[in-house]
């Protein structure tokens, strides 16, 4: 059977059709997913994340999915991302490689299972990461097992088995390839050699749900070079993406340096961001930005970058995520909306990338981890929201208000801590002021808040091997210490409350930005030069 590419997708016809036994089908058989989840004790329903594939790189004459499932020939099908640019080209290349007998090559680095896929000529064309081989997943080939799909993973606000969806999300949100995220998709690969624990490299597992990304030719990564060789534009564009998606793991190893054949000129090397599985968390977790203290991050945005940021539409992008990746929970989408609004308003206020990143990052004072300025703003915005909801004087309390109680001492303790921090350090972001509303409402700061906090409870919520599971518990907050794994979440807000919350959030931003700018005046500004 030959590989056939539909011309309506603008693929160039092959000069010579290679012999291909690869099969595909256009309708996903949900009974297969049921068998998969039953056999592996998966605890939550993932069927909503699978879609009909309207176009596949390889077409089969078979009419029954069951017949194709039982056929031991390798095949691949796009599950999500079929509308993303350059995805079909990537999957078609992979399909031809698999049909030619090419086997995935395991990647030795990293904590999760990952594989290189090569063309018949030996060139690496893609990186594949199966969902059930992620760190802590049941088929992880490197010994990091113990949890089931859907449970909290290496990052408490990102669940096991869902990093592949976030890889695709980063690509979908990188409009026009502005930040250089490689083409990505979520696919199903059948009868191809992958790891199955207790069996080693299984010769032909029925299928694996995996993310797939275009392999980027590179000479090294950012960890092997000093930041002075990187271009300002490259650092800014990666930083803009990281702010939008609240990347929890932007380290030097996942910024690749394009091939310069050893000839690195200061300020000219271009970076390519990869590995976005730890973005779009379900709560305002603590991000990690490797570029935060690089000199490029302290330079102002260019006109092109400023225009790109101003044209971002967080609500339109949120609809894109809901439509293409329904498995990503609404609380993650709301975190994305919040961070994009924060980026847009901060840029309009004249803040640089470093200023914005610092306001989103938590501080360590001694052994304590303290809330970021962004988290402080959210807490105060939520307090204002509850003042508005309860300003009619009624004593009605919603059911979810019983879950968490912040008393008046909590808000006072935040302000006391902020004053203390100002005296302890001068090179860290200034903490937020009280953000009081009008006079007659100031005595309502002890009104109960909705569930804004999640905590990792190790007493009565443990997964296999005694690994604690993230769950919501009652928490009376009297400080802003994060030793217990506390995060700000928006999961329980109703749509009307979320809309009103965003209004209060935006009202608090100008004053926060002014304070940030006032604390940054003493820093040396490097101007627009790209020489360091």
């Amino acid at each position: 059977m030959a590989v056939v590419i539909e011309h309506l997708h603008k693929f160039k016809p092959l000069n010579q059709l290679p012999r291909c036994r690869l099969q595909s089908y256009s309708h996903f058989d949900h009974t297969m997913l049921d068998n998969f989840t039953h056999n592996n004790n998966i605890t939550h329903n993932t069927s909503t994340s699978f879609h009909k594939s309207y176009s596949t790189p390889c077409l089969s004459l078979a009419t029954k999915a069951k017949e194709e499932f039982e056929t031991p020939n390798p095949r691949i099908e796009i599950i999500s991302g079929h509308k993303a640019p350059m995805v079909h080209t990537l999957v078609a290349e992979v399909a031809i490689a698999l049909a030619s007998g090419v086997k995935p090559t395991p990647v030795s680095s990293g904590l999760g299972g990952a594989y290189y896929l090569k063309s018949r000529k030996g060139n690496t064309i893609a990186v594949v990461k199966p969902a059930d081989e992620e760190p802590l997943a049941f088929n992880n080939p490197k010994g990091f097992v113990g949890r089931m799909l859907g449970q909290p993973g290496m990052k408490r606000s990102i669940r096991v088995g869902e990093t592949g969806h976030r890889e695709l999300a980063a690509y979908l949100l990188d409009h026009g390839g502005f930040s250089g995220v490689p083409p990505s998709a979520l696919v199903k690969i059948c009868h191809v050699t992958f790891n199955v624990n207790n069996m080693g490299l299984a010769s032909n597992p029925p299928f694996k749900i995996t993310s797939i990304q275009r392999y980027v030719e590179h000479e090294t990564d950012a960890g092997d070079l000093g930041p002075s060789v990187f271009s300002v534009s490259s650092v800014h564009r990666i930083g803009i993406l990281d702010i939008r998606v609240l990347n929890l793991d932007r380290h030097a190893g996942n910024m690749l340096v394009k091939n310069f054949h050893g000839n690195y000129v200061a300020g000219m090397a271009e970076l390519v961001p990869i590995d976005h599985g730890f973005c779009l968390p379900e709560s305002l977790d603590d991000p990690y930005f490797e570029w935060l203290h690089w000199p490029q991050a302290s330079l102002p945005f260019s006109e092109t970058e400023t225009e790109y940021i101003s044209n971002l539409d967080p609500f339109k992008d949120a609809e894109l995520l809901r439509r293409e990746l329904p498995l990503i929970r609404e609380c993650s989408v709301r975190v994305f909306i919040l961070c994009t609004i924060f980026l847009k308003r901060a840029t309009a206020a004249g803040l640089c990338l470093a200023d914005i990143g610092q306001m989103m990052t938590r501080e360590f004072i001694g052994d304590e981890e303290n809330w970021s300025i962004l988290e402080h703003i959210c807490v105060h915005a939520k307090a204002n929201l509850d003042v508005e909801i309860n300003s009619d004087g009624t004593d009605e309390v919603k059911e979810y208000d019983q879950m968490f109680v912040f008393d008046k001492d909590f808000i006072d303790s935040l302000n006391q801590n902020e004053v203390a921090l100002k005296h302890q350090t001068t090179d860290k972001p200034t903490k937020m002021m009280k953000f009081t509303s009008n006079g007659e409402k100031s005595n309502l700061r002890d009104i109960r808040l909705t569930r804004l906090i999640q905590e990792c409870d190790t007493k009565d919520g443990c997964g296999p091997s005694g690994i604690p599971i993230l769950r919501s518990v009652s928490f009376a907050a009297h400080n802003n210490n994060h030793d217990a794994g506390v995060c700000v979440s928006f999961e329980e807000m109703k749509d009307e409350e979320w809309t009103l919350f965003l209004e209060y959030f935006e009202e608090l931003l100008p004053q926060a930005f002014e304070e940030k700018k006032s604390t940054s005046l003493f820093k040396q500004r490097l101007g627009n030069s790209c020489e360091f």
Side-chain angles (χ1 to χ4, degrees):
M1 173 185 147
V3 176
V4 180
I5 306 298
E6 294 181 275
H7 294 287
L8 61 89
H9 293 289
K10 301 181 180 179
F11 292 110
K12 295 181 179 180
L14 298 174
N15 294 329
Q16 181 178 358
L17 293 177
R19 294 186 61 84
C20 176
R21 300 175 64 186
L22 198 65
Q23 295 183 351
S24 179
Y25 45 85
S26 59
H27 294 276
F28 181 74
D29 185 355
H30 289 274
T31 60
M32 291 188 294
L33 178 65
D34 294 338
N35 294 333
F36 179 77
T37 56
H38 175 73
N39 293 336
N40 295 291
N41 297 320
I42 300 176
T43 58
H44 79 292
N45 182 14
T46 58
S47 62
T48 56
S49 67
F50 299 98
H51 303 274
K52 172 182 173 182
S53 179
Y54 294 99
S55 176
T56 53
C58 298
L59 304 179
S60 170
L61 298 179
T63 58
K64 294 183 179 180
K66 182 177 179 181
E67 293 177 1
E68 295 191 351
F69 182 74
E70 294 174 347
T71 303
N73 297 326
R75 59 183 179 271
I76 183 172
E77 178 190 1
I78 299 174
I79 295 176
S80 295
H82 55 271
K83 294 183 180 179
M86 297 183 285
V87 163
H88 286 278
T89 302
L90 170 63
V91 175
E93 292 180 29
V94 170
I96 294 172
L98 295 177
S100 302
V102 174
K103 304 295 184 183
T105 303
V107 179
S108 59
S109 60
L111 301 180
Y115 303 83
Y116 291 134
L117 287 175
K118 299 179 180 293
S119 67
R120 290 180 298 168
K121 296 181 180 180
N123 300 322
T124 304
I125 56 178
V127 180
V128 172
K129 302 176 184 178
D132 63 347
E133 297 186 31
E134 292 182 11
L136 302 183
F138 52 87
N139 276 329
N140 181 273
K142 299 173 182 176
F144 300 101
V145 297
R147 296 186 184 177
M148 294 176 286
L149 302 186
Q151 291 183 335
M154 299 293 291
K155 300 292 183 179
R156 61 196 172 204
S157 54
I158 295 177
R159 300 170 188 260
V160 175
E162 298 184 5
T163 62
H165 293 76
R166 287 163 167 80
E167 295 270 16
L168 173 55
Y171 180 57
L172 293 174
L173 295 171
D174 186 25
H175 305 302
F178 182 81
S179 300
V181 179
S184 305
L186 196 67
V187 300
K188 178 173 60 180
I189 301 179
C190 302
H191 303 299
V192 174
T193 301
F194 288 115
N195 182 72
V196 177
N197 280 343
N198 302 322
M199 295 178 60
L201 289 176
S203 59
N204 58 344
F207 71 91
K208 289 255 188 173
I209 305 301
T210 82
S211 64
I212 184 171
Q213 293 86 38
R214 168 73 70 181
Y215 177 77
V216 178
E217 293 289 344
H218 62 284
E219 191 168 307
T220 185
D221 59 51
D224 293 332
L225 300 172
S228 62
V229 303
F230 308 139
S231 71
V232 176
S233 173
S234 186
V235 174
H236 281 190
R237 294 183 180 214
I238 291 177
I240 289 170
L241 174 69
D242 290 342
I243 293 294
R244 293 174 63 205
V245 299
L246 194 63
N247 196 337
L248 306 185
D249 192 37
R250 175 60 73 204
H251 57 80
N254 56 36
M255 288 182 283
L256 305 180
V257 182
K258 288 185 178 180
N259 287 335
F260 272 69
H261 305 291
N263 184 23
Y264 297 103
V265 180
M268 296 297 292
E270 295 297 320
L271 297 172
V272 178
I274 61 171
D275 295 344
H276 296 97
F278 290 144
C279 68
L280 298 177
E282 295 183 11
S283 56
L284 281 182
D285 212 332
D286 187 31
Y288 179 75
F289 303 136
E290 179 77 22
W291 44 259
L292 188 60
H293 301 293
W294 289 359
Q296 295 93 329
S298 295
L299 298 179
F301 290 119
S302 67
E303 291 185 6
T304 300
E305 293 158 356
T306 302
E307 182 180 4
Y308 177 85
I309 294 171
S310 65
N311 289 334
L312 292 173
D313 187 338
F315 301 101
K316 183 178 179 181
D317 287 341
E319 288 303 317
L320 173 66
L321 292 176
R322 296 183 185 110
R323 181 175 65 252
E324 299 295 328
L325 293 166
L327 188 63
I328 293 183
R329 291 164 176 78
E330 183 63 20
C331 48
S332 294
V333 175
R334 288 178 172 179
V335 167
F336 165 75
I337 293 173
L338 189 84
C339 291
T340 304
I341 291 175
F342 190 75
L343 170 66
K344 290 171 64 70
R345 299 295 181 267
T347 302
L351 271 64
C352 65
L353 181 62
D355 291 334
I356 302 171
Q358 288 168 3
M359 295 180 73
M360 301 178 73
T361 305
R362 294 173 187 166
E363 294 182 309
F364 285 88
I365 305 297
D367 295 332
E368 292 188 352
E369 182 183 15
N370 297 284
W371 267 338
S372 67
I373 294 178
L374 175 61
E375 288 171 300
H376 275 298
I377 297 173
C378 290
V379 169
H380 287 294
K382 187 60 180 67
N384 286 346
L385 172 62
D386 280 1
V387 168
E388 178 70 22
I389 292 174
N390 293 274
S391 60
D392 58 357
T394 65
D395 295 328
E396 179 183 355
V397 178
K398 300 179 182 179
E399 289 185 9
Y400 55 77
D401 287 334
Q402 303 286 350
M403 295 293 294
F404 295 97
V405 178
F406 286 79
D407 57 26
K408 189 175 186 299
D409 293 337
F410 168 59
I411 300 298
D412 293 338
S413 68
L414 291 183
N415 297 306
Q416 292 172 4
N417 187 271
E418 291 156 10
V419 173
L421 288 176
K422 289 182 180 180
H423 292 287
Q424 291 176 15
T425 178
T426 57
D427 59 350
K428 294 183 179 180
T430 303
K431 295 294 182 180
M432 299 305 301
M433 66 299 298
K434 192 171 183 179
F435 287 120
T436 57
S437 55
N438 57 52
E440 69 268 19
K441 295 182 180 179
S442 62
N443 62 336
L444 296 176
R445 290 297 174 182
D446 59 346
I447 288 178
R448 297 173 177 178
L449 303 183
T450 60
R451 190 166 74 180
L452 260 173
I453 302 297
Q454 291 178 326
E455 183 177 8
C456 186
D457 187 345
T458 60
K459 294 181 180 179
D460 55 1
C462 292
S465 304
I467 300 175
I469 299 175
L470 184 70
R471 62 189 299 268
S472 299
V473 298
S474 181
F475 178 74
H478 295 283
N479 56 57
N480 58 340
N481 184 272
H482 279 72
D483 290 340
V486 177
C487 302
V488 175
S489 174
F490 311 101
E491 184 175 8
E492 293 301 319
M493 283 188 185
K494 296 182 179 179
D495 291 342
E496 317 85 71
E497 294 174 333
W498 168 245
T499 301
L500 190 56
F501 168 83
L502 288 179
E503 294 179 6
Y504 283 114
F505 174 76
E506 293 197 59
E507 288 176 2
L508 298 175
L509 293 180
Q511 189 174 358
F513 294 150
E514 287 302 317
E515 287 219 347
K516 180 58 184 174
K517 287 194 290 186
S518 67
T519 61
S520 302
L521 290 178
F522 72 94
K523 294 181 179 179
Q524 180 182 4
R525 294 299 180 181
L526 300 177
N528 294 319
S529 174
C530 62
E531 299 179 1
F532 304 105

